[in-house]
Amino acid sequence: MLAQGRRPDADLGRLISSLGISPVIQEARELDSLAPGENHQGVVLVVGEYRYLTLEELVSRAPRDRPIVALDQVQDPHNLGAILRSATVLGAAGAILPERRASPVTAAVVRTSAGATERLGVARVVNLGRALEELKTEGYWLFGAVGEGGAPPEELELTGSCVLVVGSEGGGLRPSIQKACDHLVTIPMEDPLSLNVSVAAGILLGEAARQRRAARKPKS
């Protein structure tokens, strides 16, 4: 939808043409009601519900040399969006979210992810613990991020079929999820301040990407 008097610039015109849609002209207050509190700049795109993958669909299309990131009850949509953005940029194979006590993919998540939600496969499961056990049977190794007591990420092999599991903002991994993991990983810190979950996930995904690049280099 375009607000009355809003003329599409060149970039917007190309986008509209590429989508094959015909914009509907509405009064500005109608767009305000569709995007309350947002600076829509006279343009609103109305879309259907986000399309999640099943766990089976995610596994079937996931390259086995790239990690899957699993989120255990991450509730802040901005954290979720940031994690999905890092996962996409750093080459993850997909992400898994639980249905309960966790942020779904919302407009805020899409915006924070800078569009990564449309590029990265995201599965939503009823029971995260059961989904992780299913991934084990598919040959995946599970690496759970904990605040202390785990191995430094550079000492673990984060290549091949692996799942990086990160916990909620307040409580971290639930005990049952932590117990399901094959290895625990702790990011070394030189100050006792804790890391935001999206930052921690980005560090682990970055280390996995570094190891992947190193594995591709020919042996001298």
Side-chain angles (χ1 to χ4, degrees), residues 83-142:
I83 292 171
L84 297 181
R85 183 174 185 173
S86 294
T88 302
V89 170
L90 295 168
I96 302 172
L97 315 176
E99 286 187 1
R100 296 192 303 164
R101 298 187 179 91
S103 173
V105 175
T106 63
V109 173
V110 173
R111 185 169 58 253
T112 305
S113 78
T117 52
E118 309 308 307
R119 303 168 68 89
L120 184 74
V122 179
R124 200 175 186 207
V125 298
V126 174
N127 187 305
L128 182 61
R130 188 177 303 128
L132 294 177
E133 291 297 334
E134 289 180 24
L135 288 169
K136 278 187 177 184
T137 65
E138 292 287 339
Y140 283 86
W141 291 86
L142 311 183

Side-chain angles (χ1 to χ4, degrees), residues 144-156 183-189 195 203-204:
V146 293
E148 57 184 10
E154 65 271 16
E155 294 182 6
L156 296 170
H183 301 281
L184 298 179
V185 54
T186 297
I187 298 169
M189 293 183 287
L195 287 172
I203 291 172
L204 296 178

Side-chain angles (χ1 to χ4, degrees), residues 1 19 21 34 44-51 106-107 110 118:
M1 293 184 179
L19 294 174
I21 58 178
L34 290 171
V44 172
L45 178 64
V46 180
V47 298
E49 292 186 6
Y50 184 77
R51 202 286 194 179
T106 63
V110 173
E118 309 308 307

